[in-house]
Amino acid sequence: MEIILEDFTKRFGEVTVIEKMNLKIREGELLALLGPSGCGKSTTLFTICGIHRVDGGRVLFGDQDVSRVPAQQRNVGVVFQSYALYPHMSVFENIAFPLTVRKEHKNTIREKVAEIAELVHIGELLKRRPEQLSGGQQQRVALARALVRKPSILLLDEPLANLDAKLRLEMRSEIRRIQLETRISAVLVTHDQVEAMSMSDRIAIMKEGEILQVASPTEMYQQPINDFVAGFLGNPPIAFLDAHVQEGEIHLLNRKIQFNFPGSSMPTNGTKIRLGIRPEHYQPNNPIQIPGTISFVETQGRENLYDVMLDDGSILRSIQSSATESIEKSAQVLWGIQPDKVLIFDQAGNRI
Amino acid sequence: MKAALAELQIELTPYQINTLSQAAYTGWVWTTDNFHKMTILPETKQILFNTIIYVTFTLLLFNVGFALVLAIATFYLPKGQAGIFRALWLLPRISPSVLYVVLWKWLTWDTGFLNAILNPLGVAQRNWMLDTTLNAWVFVVLINGFIGASMGMILFSSAITAIPKPLLYASEVDGANRWQQIRFIILPQLKWPILFVTVYQCLSLLTSFEQILLSTDGGPGSTTEVWALAAYHNALDNYWGNLQYGYGAALALVLVVIGVIMSFIFLRFFRFQELVRQPRIEQ
Amino acid sequence: MSQNFKNWPILTALVLATVPIVLMYSYLVLDTVTNTEPGGILPSSFTLEHWRFLYENIEGKANIWQVTLNTLVFASSVMLLVLSVSSTAGYALSRLNIPFRREFLAGVLILHAFPSITLIIAIFLILQLIGLYNTLIGVIIVMTSLQLPLGIWIMKGFYDSVPWEIEMAGLQDGASRFTVWYHLVLPQVRPGIIALGVFSFLSGWGEYILPTVLAPANNVQVLSGYLASLIADDRNFEFNLFKSVGLFYATPVVIMYLFFQDKLMNIYGGGTKG
């Protein structure tokens, strides 16, 4: 089902957390709400499921306005960050709960629970209690409980935050598999850009109650709308250099380095700009060479991450395969950037 | 029966009371007479029955039942309103008992508030607290219950607040209405606090008599005379000054035995081992 | 809570259930400064005559200020004694490796749950034997010892929640066990001390049975006894006078309660008897 937030406004007392937000979740897609903590992404999620109510605007499920409909009647499946499994009930009772409170027939409940347990691979755990399960298993139970009622939409609130690194990888693909198999519209709230990029069809990136950009992961990575988005996506993060425009050329580092402005909408002479350069685009064999001194080396196994300090004290990052010979700290390097891969922002941070 | 001791205060000097008490105390003698007496006196059956009624009704209706209602109801209210109700329901507990009980008397006596309201409606004037046994019981339970409800209310309230919020949210998006949320999520989480309050308050009620002493004083007749009050009356507050320390003490001893047994049961609830863990310094 | 439920049914039910309390306490205040016609519901005239007990003695009764002083001495002494013993004993039981610690704790715990009022007959006789009957000191000692199991238990609970690391750090820094307790741990349990202090004061202030039974004489009378004697006096009973004395008696309690409400919740929830 298609979900639409229309001019959605949310206040807590005097504080307006979200003002006039618009967002559309397409039928069958997994949309990630990505942003730093406190940006209002969980508030948005809780509003969709009805735990919070809108203070302005509307929430539409298909063409039905559910803004004033209590959570009980919205038929939304939610997986909470802490999973919120009912500790005094068995796994079966937990999954069956949404059906029990709807007073469905016992046999129907048993069939539906069995079916969903099969889907999330916990068929053999039904008799256990939540505290006897591992984190990943609890996660699966929570998923099953959210899905068993065939919800209009599935909401996932930081579903991987409480898992250790290895399980996180596993559950990442599991959640995606289950979502694809059920073809259910889903919203994933997360502060982890890797999670958002790897799991979702589209990402909506949020900051201070506002949606900055909605796009597919690749598009957002390559064409960020501003420096915040560019900085939030990508690990190791993008590096920024100050520069200015002079007669169709970009000058940086006290004019020592100059190259042609790559885009078409050229700013006027003397405009101050910021260059965003991703670590994978500052490499030994690129055309525009920028000299510097290695100030920090981080070994990541498959790759090495280098921080390179330039003459004026600014830092560029480079990530290189560790198969090549590794470079010591304090070594002088002359690596280069590729003009068409450089992201250019104005002083306000907006992409030019 | 009159509140004899209170009257003694007016009519006798302390010296006289002292003399009287000493005269009544017969010195040490080993005897089981008092226990024998306890088993044959018909009053014993009566006070046993009274005690059971008193404890059962007060405990179930107020100390646990109404305390649960209060805790759950205030939980669903906005903070400000909830605070007002909790504060109001704590008033009976913090008020000095003498004052508190007399407020009930003001409500129920011949010239009291109830009569002032009901008289114009054609209801005959009477002492609502003492005119029938049933009424006496109703008010004994109410007077004690209004005090008793607050402990359960506080304990249950904090237990409910301790339930993780997502659990409640989850049940709401899972479709539970309020009654289902209470029944399936909140009450199961209160299992231990309920057990705790039940045992603890059962013990307290068994041995408490202050409010009954001040309100009905066991009356009318001795229809609301409970075990602890009987012990007090026999030993310390006999109308004729014929104080029977021995018999009163024997009655109290029964309560002491029950108290010790229940306290031990209590230890099990408390998970004693955990509470007496060894210190981590100077092992 | 969340907006998925309506409030008004609950609010209505609670308001109805609370009517008796509101009635009783608002009339308590109202009646002290008014007169009501016999059989009337609303007061008919304003008066201060019910407060005359403040400046003149009521026939056959002790002086109110003497009685108030007695009550104050009684309640404060109980508070100080309970505090000093509980704050040290609680620490010892929580943190020191003393002999018979387990047994002592079990004793405290049982006494804590145990209804001490059943002991009153025995206590009455003992006080007579040792000559403390009809003295304030006697009642203070008895009241304190009956309060101690609860006090020690509560303080132990507060000490238990202080992180061990604070003490370990203190010892590493070269402080003695006493210094550690006094300068490092005691400040951490201040909420407990305040709560217990207020609680014991209020218990002493409101206690009726112990003073009445163990020290009934006029010169050691406390407010609860004074109040009870007013109502037991059938010859010239006056409800509004009684309420004025009652309000005079209850006001400090209510004020202290309002001030320390949050801190007191701990104890009223966890430990009281009755």
Side-chain angles (χ1 to χ4, degrees):
Chain A
M1 190 180 285
E2 191 178 68
I3 311 291
I4 298 171
L5 293 176
E6 206 178 80
D7 287 338
F8 157 50
T9 303
K10 181 69 203 170
R11 281 182 280 273
F12 289 118
E14 298 286 288
V15 190
T16 304
V17 189
I18 288 166
E19 193 154 15
K20 299 213 165 179
M21 178 175 130
N22 285 286
L23 181 67
K24 184 157 126 183
I25 298 129
R26 296 182 191 141
E27 168 113 46
E29 81 169 340
L30 196 161
L31 180 102
L33 271 179
L34 174 66
S37 55
C39 73
K41 52 191 193 302
S42 289
T43 308
T44 310
L45 186 97
F46 282 169
T47 307
I48 296 175
C49 64
I51 291 166
H52 295 333
R53 292 296 162 82
V54 295
D55 292 317
R58 302 197 296 168
V59 182
L60 299 172
F61 281 19
D63 39 18
Q64 191 203 352
D65 182 357
V66 296
S67 311
R68 307 273 154 229
V69 176
Q72 285 88 342
Q73 289 156 33
R74 289 198 192 183
N75 196 28
V76 173
V78 184
V79 174
F80 291 85
Q81 177 170 355
S82 56
Y83 313 136
L85 298 181
Y86 309 125
H88 53 282
M89 299 182 193
S90 70
V91 168
F92 177 89
E93 287 166 325
N94 261 284
I95 301 175
F97 187 76
L99 308 176
T100 315
V101 296
R102 282 175 178 75
K103 302 207 166 68
E104 291 200 14
H105 193 271
K106 279 222 163 74
N107 291 335
T108 333
I109 293 180
R110 211 169 300 135
E111 276 167 33
K112 287 186 178 175
V113 171
E115 186 188 332
I116 208 80
E118 206 51 47
L119 175 74
V120 300
H121 302 327
I122 47 164
E124 71 288 355
L125 302 175
L126 289 177
K127 289 210 176 72
R128 298 222 199 145
R129 298 215 164 233
E131 80 259 14
Q132 299 167 315
L133 302 179
S134 71
Q137 290 168 329
Q138 293 189 19
Q139 169 80 267
R140 288 169 191 268
V141 176
L143 262 169
R145 189 180 67 187
L147 290 170
V148 72
R149 79 205 78 174
K150 303 255 180 292
S152 311
I153 182 167
L154 173 68
L155 306 178
L156 306 150
D157 184 15
E158 302 270 9
L160 305 176
N162 289 358
L163 297 176
D164 60 49
K166 205 175 153 212
L167 262 176
R168 202 174 295 177
L169 270 177
E170 178 191 323
M171 287 315 293
R172 218 154 75 184
S173 48
E174 271 298 278
I175 292 175
R176 183 60 165 161
R177 170 185 73 81
I178 291 162
Q179 188 262 336
L180 286 174
E181 263 179 53
T182 50
R183 288 306 325 163
I184 184 175
S185 316
V187 176
L188 165 77
V189 158
T190 179
H191 63 274
D192 182 352
Q193 48 104 12
V194 181
E195 242 170 77
M197 304 249 289
S198 59
M199 289 170 71
S200 63
D201 297 304
R202 291 194 303 155
I203 299 176
I205 190 161
M206 288 185 73
K207 186 194 176 192
E208 288 162 10
E210 239 182 289
I211 292 188
L212 302 177
Q213 187 177 7
V214 186
S216 74
T218 327
E219 189 190 341
M220 191 172 274
Y221 186 76
Q222 288 169 355
Q223 306 293 338
I225 193 167
N226 60 20
D227 59 348
F228 176 80
V229 178
F232 207 86
L233 263 58
N235 184 32
I238 196 165
F240 292 102
L241 291 183
D242 287 326
H244 68 273
V245 179
Q246 199 81 50
E247 278 139 25
E249 285 191 318
I250 290 173
H251 292 223
L252 66 158
L253 292 175
N254 305 322
R255 307 179 178 212
K256 272 184 216 149
I257 311 258
Q258 306 170 358
F259 59 92
N260 286 334
F261 191 87
S264 51
S265 56
M266 176 122 44
T268 51
N269 264 355
T271 309
K272 290 196 165 149
I273 55 171
R274 289 176 80 210
L275 305 183
I277 298 158
R278 293 206 185 272
E280 62 269 33
H281 297 139
Y282 180 53
Q283 297 290 339
N285 298 319
N286 282 348
I288 312 297
Q289 294 192 314
I290 304 175
T293 314
I294 305 271
S295 64
F296 179 74
V297 183
E298 187 182 300
T299 313
Q300 293 184 339
R302 189 157 39 86
E303 284 149 341
N304 289 335
L305 173 67
Y306 302 102
D307 282 10
V308 179
M309 191 187 282
L310 310 185
D311 289 352
D312 63 347
S314 49
I315 301 275
L316 275 183
R317 285 188 202 92
S318 174
I319 191 151
Q320 294 173 20
S321 163
S322 54
T324 60
E325 196 182 340
S326 69
I327 298 148
E328 297 290 315
K329 196 181 159 195
S330 303
Q332 302 281 328
V333 292
L334 187 63
W335 291 336
I337 57 174
Q338 218 160 3
D340 58 329
K341 299 282 192 199
V342 170
L343 302 169
I344 302 168
F345 305 95
D346 63 18
Q347 276 308 92
N350 294 318
R351 179 96 181 285
I352 300 177
Chain B
M1 253 194 280
K2 288 276 165 200
L5 209 76
E7 237 165 52
L8 288 177
Q9 282 171 42
I10 300 156
E11 286 154 12
L12 300 177
T13 64
Y15 175 75
Q16 284 172 305
I17 296 178
N18 216 354
T19 325
L20 187 77
S21 321
Q22 270 163 14
Y25 184 53
T26 48
W28 297 97
V29 185
W30 277 110
T31 173
T32 54
D33 284 359
N34 285 316
F35 292 98
H36 182 63
K37 184 172 160 193
M38 204 186 297
T39 55
I40 54 168
L41 273 184
E43 285 98 57
T44 314
K45 223 188 245 168
Q46 169 85 43
I47 60 170
L48 183 66
F49 176 71
N50 288 347
T51 311
I52 292 170
I53 293 207
Y54 164 62
V55 173
T56 317
F57 279 91
T58 316
L59 188 68
L60 294 186
L61 291 181
F62 281 93
N63 294 17
V64 177
F66 193 64
L68 267 176
V69 172
L70 275 176
I72 294 174
T74 50
F75 170 70
Y76 280 111
L77 289 181
K79 258 211 175 92
Q81 293 173 12
I84 292 173
F85 282 112
R86 291 204 193 115
L88 281 173
W89 277 94
L90 263 168
L91 271 180
R93 179 177 293 276
I94 58 162
S95 308
S97 46
V98 184
L99 174 64
Y100 167 74
V101 171
V102 169
L103 290 179
W104 279 96
K105 289 188 171 174
W106 164 82
L107 203 67
T108 56
W109 269 10
D110 308 54
T111 53
F113 189 79
L114 269 183
N115 280 317
I117 288 191
L118 293 176
N119 234 359
L121 303 176
V123 182
Q125 199 172 55
R126 59 178 129 162
N127 185 330
W128 288 91
M129 194 186 287
L130 288 174
D131 75 329
T132 65
T133 310
L134 178 66
N135 275 9
W137 272 119
V138 167
F139 282 102
V140 162
V141 170
L142 281 176
I143 289 171
N144 285 283
F146 270 51
I147 299 179
S150 55
M151 176 184 169
M153 171 186 77
I154 296 170
L155 253 165
F156 298 148
S157 284
S158 59
I160 297 176
T161 337
I163 299 175
K165 276 272 138 54
L167 230 51
L168 299 164
Y169 290 156
S171 67
E172 282 166 36
V173 296
D174 283 348
N177 59 32
R178 175 140 56 196
W179 169 241
Q180 287 170 326
Q181 187 172 64
I182 294 170
R183 160 90 182 69
F184 292 117
I185 311 296
I186 295 181
L187 284 183
Q189 301 277 326
L190 294 185
K191 209 167 66 186
W192 281 103
I194 290 175
L195 208 55
F196 176 90
V197 170
T198 309
V199 178
Y200 195 103
Q201 295 278 34
C202 183
L203 193 52
S204 309
L205 284 172
L206 264 182
T207 54
S208 75
F209 59 92
E210 194 171 348
Q211 279 74 25
I212 305 184
L213 171 72
L214 288 163
S215 56
T216 66
D217 196 19
S222 55
T223 46
T224 55
E225 178 101 349
V226 295
W227 199 282
L229 185 60
Y232 173 83
H233 275 149
N234 272 300
L236 301 169
D237 191 10
N238 194 302
Y239 186 68
W240 301 108
N242 175 23
L243 302 178
Q244 301 171 293
Y245 297 130
Y247 186 52
L251 285 171
L253 190 60
V254 173
L255 290 179
V256 170
V257 171
I258 296 175
V260 169
I261 293 172
M262 288 187 76
S263 306
F264 270 108
I265 299 175
F266 223 61
L267 288 187
R268 299 201 69 97
F269 287 163
F270 263 129
R271 278 182 240 130
F272 185 64
Q273 290 304 330
E274 220 170 279
L275 287 167
V276 296
R277 250 178 329 196
Q278 285 291 314
R280 285 167 61 195
I281 297 182
E282 293 174 0
Q283 286 245 35
Chain C
M1 263 309 291
S2 75
Q3 296 162 336
N4 288 316
F5 301 120
K6 293 194 183 68
N7 268 345
W8 64 264
I10 288 192
L11 201 57
T12 321
L14 268 190
V15 167
L16 284 180
T18 316
V19 162
I21 294 186
V22 175
L23 261 183
M24 288 192 288
Y25 283 88
S26 36
Y27 269 89
L28 165 65
V29 178
L30 199 62
D31 281 352
T32 61
V33 290
T34 55
N35 279 322
T36 310
E37 300 290 321
I41 296 173
L42 292 172
S44 48
S45 63
F46 175 83
T47 175
L48 284 177
E49 63 170 347
H50 310 308
W51 290 91
R52 67 179 183 279
F53 68 92
L54 289 179
Y55 46 87
E56 63 184 42
N57 279 4
I58 294 163
E59 193 198 333
K61 300 282 180 295
N63 180 294
I64 182 81
W65 296 108
Q66 177 62 45
V67 176
T68 310
L69 183 69
N70 286 343
T71 318
L72 198 64
V73 169
F74 174 59
S76 322
S77 315
V78 169
M79 176 182 84
L80 286 177
L81 283 173
V82 167
L83 272 189
S84 44
V85 178
S86 304
S87 61
T88 41
Y91 181 75
L93 286 176
S94 168
R95 293 296 163 92
L96 301 183
N97 220 356
I98 47 175
F100 300 112
R101 177 170 167 278
R102 265 184 71 91
E103 290 68 23
F104 203 95
L105 259 181
V108 168
L109 193 57
I110 288 178
L111 280 177
H112 164 55
F114 180 80
S116 5
I117 201 70
T118 46
L119 304 176
I120 191 164
I121 297 165
I123 292 172
F124 173 79
L125 295 176
I126 292 170
L127 280 197
Q128 296 230 337
L129 287 178
I130 59 177
L132 286 177
Y133 180 72
N134 251 337
T135 62
L136 261 187
I137 296 181
V139 206
I140 290 172
I141 293 176
V142 173
M143 182 79 190
T144 306
S145 38
L146 293 190
Q147 292 264 301
L148 273 179
L150 170 75
I152 295 176
W153 187 250
I154 283 180
M155 284 319 295
K156 181 201 175 282
F158 274 94
Y159 283 122
D160 281 347
S161 65
V162 175
W164 275 99
E165 285 69 21
I166 288 181
E167 283 183 85
M168 292 176 174
L171 291 181
Q172 293 305 317
D173 293 344
S176 72
R177 211 58 206 269
F178 180 80
T179 316
V180 164
W181 170 72
Y182 189 75
H183 288 287
L184 300 181
V185 181
L186 209 50
Q188 306 281 325
V189 296
R190 242 178 63 128
I193 303 251
I194 294 174
L196 183 61
V198 174
F199 178 78
S200 351
F201 185 88
L202 290 186
S203 311
W205 189 265
E207 179 61 35
Y208 168 66
I209 299 248
L210 288 183
T212 314
V213 173
L214 304 179
N218 258 354
N219 62 330
V220 288
Q221 191 170 42
V222 291
L223 278 167
S224 56
Y226 181 87
L227 200 59
S229 73
L230 275 184
I231 197 135
D233 190 351
D234 289 338
R235 279 163 306 186
N236 45 7
F237 180 72
E238 202 190 320
F239 237 126
N240 289 8
L241 170 68
F242 178 89
K243 283 187 170 181
S244 304
V245 177
L247 189 62
F248 173 77
Y249 177 32
T251 306
V253 176
V254 174
I255 291 175
M256 280 184 91
Y257 165 69
L258 288 178
F259 253 96
F260 297 102
Q261 195 180 2
D262 297 342
K263 299 207 165 67
L264 276 175
M265 287 291 174
N266 275 333
I267 299 191
Y268 279 119
T272 38
K273 323 211 151 182

